């Protein structure tokens, strides 16, 4: 499934709430992302259609498909960060640069990079690479 940078940004915010056992709320997402609640409502509808999130009475929850997409993106981001540090970028620059294009890297390319780097267990920031 093709997931845009904006969609990953939403999944990241929603997952932050869900990981604490709480549903995400439109107002909280809007505040966290510094955008209008109406824009959030529209994007949540879009993410629901793609089966990345589900709306329930208590709020918004990431789906299994959404979790999978988020985990793939996180792994790609961390692998790219690792590569960039290995070729000479500092950790912050590697993170900032990675965010500009990590969501566009096909899974098969990321897997080859992961193997090439020796299957690192952690990214330069200490985040786990699974």
């Amino acid at each position: 499934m093709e997931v845009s940078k904006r969609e990953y940004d939403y999944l990241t915010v929603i997952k932050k709430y869900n990981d604490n056992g709480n549903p995400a709320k439109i107002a909280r997402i809007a505040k966290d992302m510094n955008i209008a609640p109406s824009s959030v409502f529209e994007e949540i509808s879009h993410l629901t259609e793609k089966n990345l999130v589900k709306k329930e009475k208590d709020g918004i929850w990431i789906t299994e498909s959404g979790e999978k997409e988020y985990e793939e993106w996180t792994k790609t981001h961390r692998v790219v960060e690792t590569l960039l540090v290995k070729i000479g970028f500092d950790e912050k620059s590697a993170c900032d640069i990675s965010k500009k294009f990590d969501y566009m890297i096909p899974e098969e390319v990321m897997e080859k990079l992961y193997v090439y780097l020796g299957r690192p267990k952690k990214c330069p920031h200490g985040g786990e690479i699974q």
Side-chain angles (χ1 to χ4, degrees):
M1 170 186 317
E2 194 166 315
V3 179
S4 71
K5 170 79 169 109
R6 184 183 72 229
E7 291 168 331
Y8 282 123
D9 291 343
Y10 274 89
L11 291 177
T12 299
V13 172
I14 294 164
K15 187 169 175 11
K16 174 183 76 171
Y17 288 104
N18 292 178
D19 284 352
N20 290 323
N22 300 309
K25 306 281 188 179
I26 300 278
R28 289 184 195 151
I29 296 168
K31 184 178 179 190
D32 287 358
M33 297 181 74
N34 197 29
I35 54 178
S38 59
S39 296
V40 174
F41 182 82
E42 188 176 315
E43 186 60 29
I44 295 302
S45 295
H46 174 76
L47 293 171
T48 301
E49 288 172 15
K50 291 180 87 168
N51 193 35
L52 296 172
V53 301
K54 60 185 173 185
K55 290 187 271 187
E56 295 187 354
K57 287 183 181 185
D58 61 346
I60 302 152
W61 297 89
I62 195 167
T63 63
E64 191 174 311
S65 296
E67 276 280 349
K68 183 176 182 267
E69 290 295 331
Y70 176 84
E71 293 300 326
E72 286 176 17
W73 169 74
T74 300
K75 182 176 182 180
T76 300
H77 177 79
R78 290 175 177 171
V79 167
V80 171
E81 272 186 326
T82 302
L83 175 67
L84 292 172
V85 167
K86 188 170 186 141
I87 63 172
F89 289 92
D90 63 83
E91 290 177 14
K92 182 179 180 340
S93 295
C95 183
D96 293 342
I97 292 167
S98 179
K99 287 177 184 176
K100 293 180 181 179
F101 66 92
D102 54 15
Y103 64 95
M104 297 186 304
I105 297 174
E107 186 177 359
E108 60 271 15
V109 172
M110 183 276 303
E111 284 298 330
K112 295 250 184 212
L113 286 173
Y114 179 65
V115 170
Y116 174 78
L117 291 167
R119 301 179 195 273
K121 301 271 188 247
K122 296 192 181 267
C123 76
H125 294 100
E128 207 172 305
I129 301 176
Q130 300 175 359

